[in-house]
């Protein structure tokens, strides 16, 4: 099995690894609530998909905090 005769420089190593990076997930605007959502998925904010209500989204109520 062959082994490298000389060490590769950091620049050469970095050039080889330029394509090994994470891509950001794409996002579209929801036509109902105008917030960002992933394409071909139900909107997590309003629950609509393709113009139809698919999920019932529960809204968290704000707590008043400690009174005391």
């Amino acid at each position: 099995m062959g082994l490298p005769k000389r060490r590769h420089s950091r620049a050469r190593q970095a050039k080889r690894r330029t394509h090994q990076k994470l891509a950001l997930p794409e996002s579209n605007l929801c036509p109902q609530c105008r917030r960002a959502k992933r394409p071909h998925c139900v909107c997590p904010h309003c629950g609509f998909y393709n113009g139809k209500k698919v999920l019932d989204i529960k809204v968290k109520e704000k707590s008043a905090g400690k009174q005391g």
Side-chain angles (χ1 to χ4, degrees):
M1 190 158 139
L3 294 174
K5 190 120 181 156
R6 297 271 185 225
R7 178 180 178 204
H8 291 265
S9 67
R10 289 183 185 148
R12 186 167 175 179
Q13 177 181 345
K15 286 177 190 176
R16 185 177 64 245
R17 293 182 180 169
T18 57
H19 304 291
Q20 298 177 2
K21 57 187 173 188
L22 293 175
L24 291 174
E26 298 201 14
S27 63
N28 294 341
L29 288 179
C30 174
Q32 298 297 117
C33 64
R34 309 299 295 167
R35 294 174 79 178
K37 72 171 194 70
R38 296 191 59 196
H40 307 289
C41 294
V42 177
C43 179
H45 307 290
C46 65
F48 275 77
Y49 180 76
N50 200 17
K52 299 175 186 174
K53 182 103 173 159
V54 180
L55 292 176
D56 290 327
I57 305 296
K58 295 181 180 178
V59 179
K60 292 183 180 179
E61 294 181 15
K62 294 182 180 179
S63 62
K66 290 185 179 182
Q67 296 177 354

